[in-house]
């Protein structure tokens, strides 16, 4: 089975907003929800929405306003449903 890509912006604006604090939390969430065989987490250069917080992209869906304090709720409320709609 081919894995779907989940992109996390690693550009300079996201770096300043705490992406390196978000990254380990995101990796843990992928394991917690047993998605490691279904999605591939990839770093990305700028996803061109720097003014709205840390950005992630799955397929054509862009998730914004992510930060170290809300990554868990953003993942379970917004990102996970989009992933599950494609990989199940």
């Amino acid at each position: 089975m081919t894995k779907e890509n989940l992109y996390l912006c690693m550009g300079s604006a996201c770096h300043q907003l705490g992406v390196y604090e978000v990254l380990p939390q995101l990796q843990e969430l992928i394991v917690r929800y047993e998605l490691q065989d279904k999605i591939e987490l990839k770093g990305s250069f700028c996803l061109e929405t720097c003014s709205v917080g840390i950005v992630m992209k799955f397929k054509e869906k862009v998730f914004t306003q992510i930060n170290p304090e809300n990554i868990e709720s953003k993942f379970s409320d917004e990102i996970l449903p989009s992933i599950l709609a494609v990989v199940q």
Side-chain angles (χ1 to χ4, degrees), residues 1-5 37-40 87:
M1 178 178 178
T2 303
K3 292 183 182 182
E4 295 290 341
N5 293 325
D37 293 334
K38 297 177 181 171
I39 63 169
E40 183 79 31
V87 298

Side-chain angles (χ1 to χ4, degrees), residues 2 10 12 17 25-26 30 34 41 44 54 61 64 75:
T2 303
M10 304 297 278
S12 57
L17 293 171
Q25 295 178 59
L26 186 56
I30 290 169
E34 300 178 355
L41 179 61
S44 174
I54 297 170
K61 179 95 170 146
T64 61
F75 188 84

Side-chain angles (χ1 to χ4, degrees), residues 22-70:
V22 168
L23 179 59
Q25 295 178 59
L26 186 56
Q27 291 169 320
E28 190 275 324
L29 288 164
I30 290 169
V31 171
R32 182 187 312 168
Y33 289 100
E34 300 178 355
L35 297 171
Q36 60 270 35
D37 293 334
K38 297 177 181 171
I39 63 169
E40 183 79 31
L41 179 61
K42 293 189 172 190
S44 174
F45 289 110
C46 185
L47 291 172
E48 301 179 16
T49 51
C50 302
S51 64
V52 288
I54 297 170
V55 180
M56 294 184 67
K57 183 176 181 181
F58 182 73
K59 295 288 201 173
E60 298 304 314
K61 179 95 170 146
V62 176
F63 306 97
T64 61
Q65 300 179 339
I66 296 168
N67 61 54
E69 291 76 34
N70 74 5

